[in-house]
Amino acid sequence: MAYFDAASSAPLHPVARQALQASLDEGWADPSRLYREGRRARLLLDAAREAAAEAVGCRADELAFTSSGTKAVHSGIAGALAGRHRVGRHLIVSAVEHSSVLHAADAHEAGGGTVTQVAVDRAGAVSVPAYADALRPDTALACLQSANHEVGTEQPVAEVAAVCREAGVPLLVDAAQSLGWGRVEGDWSVLTGSAHKWGGPSGVGLLVVRKGVRFAAQGPVDERESGRAVGFENIPAIVAAAASLRAVQAEAAQEALRLRELAERIRARVPRLVPDVEVVGDPVRRLPGIVTFSCLYVDGEALLHELDRAGFSVSSGSSCTSSTLTPSHVLKAMGVLSEGNVRVSLPFGTPAQDVERFLEALPRAVTEVREKLGAPVTETAVRDDVLVVDSLGKRCPIPVIELAKVIGEVPVGGIVRVLSDDEAARLDIPAWCEMRGHEYVGEEPAEQGTAYLVRRVS
């Protein structure tokens, strides 16, 4: 079985396993106690903090360990906003942030604050001028991920941090995806990370607050972790997290070259091997091991199951499945296809032969899913010189398949009106038009669902 989902959770690094086992016998006591066992635990905790701080590029007393990366994000955003409440309650986030950031933004807005979402381009990147334009006199905090978790696109963190610094606004960076590859450059103010993303154990997060940043921890606090994270420290896991972070960063330069070559192999060959595929994400400014692509006329959940049966563990950047029927917020913000979406994220040490086997298995998997999906019976009618496709009650990719089947039945310049009540169609139909060179006219209300208008161009 080839595991290609490191962006969700990386396999436990050998150094993490060794450090975890070695510290179990010494790190069980309360590090705040002065007796021998407590002092041993404190030495382990302090050493781990020093090691993690060196890897991040901060002072040891600026770094706190939390119970998860999500907890670090929530605590970081809440504390930074509270620390600057006299300035205002305006928060800036990008449209492609991790859900932990967006959930925190929703909670802030529900509590009376205001939120501005900065749009991204089709590669998933924000523009520095867009962040500059979003800044206001009452802006308390801006957030920007270092790299996207679904498509791998790296963000211009250093440039955005400079703009924010000039305006006197702190920038919180979610560095969960990139920290294993190296330090985050730029004059950021707050940074978060998650150990299981770089091969450490789950249940350990990092929260870094630079000296001089106004920060007020929210909720009940205690004496641990400078009051920024409550609860008894899981010292063995923390030691393993810090040790593995240093280990993967030491390997990162050499491994990045190797994984980037393997990822480029996938990016280049998938469109040649499988028809009607869109590779998404920035082709240059991206993390080394992530490749994301979308297949027309394929249900993403079915394709993931087919690849699993073929021996490959991949994920989807899209949550457009039978359980949610909701397209990924990242793909939606980018304006790219959400159907049949596959994210391949290669862990450290991925053999080249596993990638070759994947490229051999993928065309068969896509073909089988498309055949199982079948060609649905399309209900069409001509009304006022417009071809109407009734796809009500049918999940994507069915509405797109039906559109593709009938587009040739209208003359060049003719209109196809697709009726759909699947939210994913709002993203997939315009993306299909861009791929196939037809004009997406727009949408209009219908008696049921929404009508999407497409004009045949050629």
Side-chain angles (χ1 to χ4, degrees), residues 92-96 117-135 143-144 153-157 159-161 163-164 285:
I92 301 173
V93 300
S94 83
V96 294
Q117 272 199 13
V118 178
V120 298
D121 58 22
R122 281 186 64 85
V126 303
S127 73
V128 179
Y131 257 80
D133 291 342
L135 291 167
C143 299
L144 181 62
T153 298
E154 294 179 327
Q155 302 291 357
V157 171
E159 295 89 339
V160 170
V163 168
C164 290
R285 289 194 58 164

Side-chain angles (χ1 to χ4, degrees), residues 89-135:
R89 303 197 63 197
H90 179 231
L91 171 66
I92 301 173
V93 300
S94 83
V96 294
E97 294 297 315
H98 188 270
S99 59
S100 61
V101 173
L102 298 183
H103 291 161
D106 290 341
H108 176 64
E109 198 166 31
T114 58
V115 177
T116 296
Q117 272 199 13
V118 178
V120 298
D121 58 22
R122 281 186 64 85
V126 303
S127 73
V128 179
Y131 257 80
D133 291 342
L135 291 167

Side-chain angles (χ1 to χ4, degrees), residues 367-382:
T367 298
E368 289 188 19
V369 171
R370 284 173 174 168
E371 289 177 351
K372 289 177 182 177
L373 189 63
V377 178
T378 306
E379 302 174 24
T380 62
V382 178

